[in-house]
Amino acid sequence: MKPNPRVLIVEDEAPIAELIAVNLRHNGFTPVWAEDAEAAQRELDAVLPDVVLLDWMLPGQSGLQLARKWRGDTRTKPIPILMLTARGDEPDKVAGLDAGADDYITKPFSTQELLARIRAVLRRRAPEQVADRVAIGTLALDAAAHRVSLDGQPLKLGPTEFKLLHYLMKHAERVHSRAQLLDKIWGDHVFIEERTVDVHVKRLREALGEASPMLETVRGAGYRLTAMPSAPNGK
């Protein structure tokens, strides 16, 4: 029997953490609570969770600092992070995503929205089921092995960036709007803003290195992956 997904709740307010934990238990998850950065690190060192619910405002290290730290560690890098915060302004959301969060939910939030977002990041974390290979020029992606290489050298991509690249490579030379990419990569039933696409495209470009010009911004339309970049990217 498959174990229930383990969710690490990093939240310093006990009533909020308990409310989240109760709802998670009732919906087939195994919640674990950590009230600060130190306790969260101990839990991660002991057992890796399937997903982290990370509060922005914590005593000591902030959620932003923790997200950056875990994204920089090979062991914890693949874990989906969902940032919880009362800071709902766009610059704050962008800061959370840039720090490494996979998604962002503003307090107060509904239980159903929280559960939908958790399930969405868990789906994105799941290995690609289609065992195929695709190559454009010297950029190659092997879905079965979950590997990407450029000129034979491996590239390191996060799970969402991998899925985004896989889709773009399989539909190369086409322009995809942000809404289309949200639908194909995240699912049309998930509450995620189009700005999220821009953040993950930025991360993907950084990971692609010399191949980043292949991922073009088509002003007013969206993004396109092409074997023949028309001009250097300005973004």
Side-chain angles (χ1 to χ4, degrees), residues 122-134 141-148 158-168 170-171 184-185:
L122 287 174
R123 279 196 301 274
R124 298 204 297 274
R125 186 196 188 202
E128 185 67 49
Q129 297 300 310
V130 181
D132 62 353
R133 286 178 56 87
V134 59
L141 183 148
D142 186 333
H146 211 270
R147 290 175 179 164
V148 179
T160 302
E161 287 72 47
F162 183 92
K163 192 169 183 180
L164 178 60
L165 179 62
H166 190 197
Y167 179 78
L168 290 171
K170 291 185 74 173
H171 303 85
K184 297 299 183 181
I185 309 302

Side-chain angles (χ1 to χ4, degrees), residues 159-200:
T160 302
E161 287 72 47
F162 183 92
K163 192 169 183 180
L164 178 60
L165 179 62
H166 190 197
Y167 179 78
L168 290 171
M169 289 182 73
K170 291 185 74 173
H171 303 85
E173 308 300 339
R174 300 186 200 172
V175 178
H176 305 274
S177 70
R178 291 170 177 81
Q180 289 171 329
L181 292 173
L182 280 175
D183 183 13
K184 297 299 183 181
I185 309 302
W186 283 266
D188 59 4
H189 59 292
V190 179
F191 319 96
I192 297 180
E193 298 178 4
E194 291 189 2
R195 173 63 177 161
T196 302
V197 175
D198 299 334
V199 173
H200 285 286

